[in-house]
Amino acid sequence: MTATAEPIKALMGTPSAVGLARTFAEAQMRKWDYLHILDSALLIVSEIVTNAARQTPDEEIRLQLSRDDYGIIIAVWDADHALPEAKPMAELTLDDLDLSEEAFDDNGGWGLHIVQALAAKCGVTADPAGGKWVWARMHP
């Protein structure tokens, strides 16, 4: 198999970007017949796109899916140069979370651990034109 990449999907760094990215990724994964890793791939897409949208709100972000003999690569670009940082690992309980209405959306920061757990390999690559690509490789 030769490497193939789908066209880059440009999205805006808004909450709707995650749903759009998942829809595109699901269609592509079904086209490639990777249904056995679909749920994990969609979770990775969600986490990486969410981070990009938070890093660059209301700015362009880009999603690209590609595949080769080793599996698929999910990659998301944003214009921010800051590298993503995972929170220190900790065992959480509901008592550790602030579930009040004002702070409900501030309990995040665990997405990179999810990506690391589901991907065979993941990382960040600086884009020579600016910004960075956060990527995850999955083996089928």
Side-chain angles (χ1 to χ4, degrees):
M1 170 191 312
T2 58
T4 60
E6 285 303 300
I8 294 173
K9 296 296 181 191
L11 305 163
M12 289 301 294
T14 65
S16 65
V18 176
L20 294 170
R22 286 176 58 93
T23 298
F24 165 72
E26 181 173 2
Q28 190 56 53
M29 296 290 289
R30 288 183 182 282
K31 180 179 170 185
W32 287 337
D33 199 26
Y34 283 150
L35 301 179
H36 53 289
I37 60 171
L38 178 61
D39 291 338
S40 295
L42 294 179
L43 188 51
I44 288 173
V45 167
S46 295
E47 295 299 336
I48 298 176
V49 170
T50 295
N51 286 350
R54 285 187 177 154
Q55 287 295 116
T56 55
D58 299 317
E59 293 183 29
E60 182 179 331
I61 59 176
R62 301 175 193 147
L63 168 68
Q64 184 168 40
L65 300 178
S66 58
R67 70 178 176 156
D68 58 20
D69 291 336
Y70 304 104
I72 66 164
I73 297 174
I74 300 164
V76 177
W77 175 89
D78 68 62
D80 192 12
H81 296 286
L83 299 178
E85 291 184 35
K87 282 186 177 179
M89 287 295 288
E91 188 170 328
L92 293 177
T93 67
L94 286 178
D95 294 333
D96 298 323
L97 301 175
D98 183 350
L99 300 178
S100 67
E101 190 172 323
E102 301 80 32
F104 190 78
D105 287 335
D106 295 333
N107 289 299
W110 305 104
L112 290 177
H113 295 295
I114 293 169
V115 172
Q116 290 168 345
L118 295 175
K121 191 173 183 180
C122 57
V124 180
T125 303
D127 188 321
K132 65 183 177 297
W133 287 92
V134 178
W135 55 269
R137 174 177 282 284
M138 296 184 72
H139 298 300

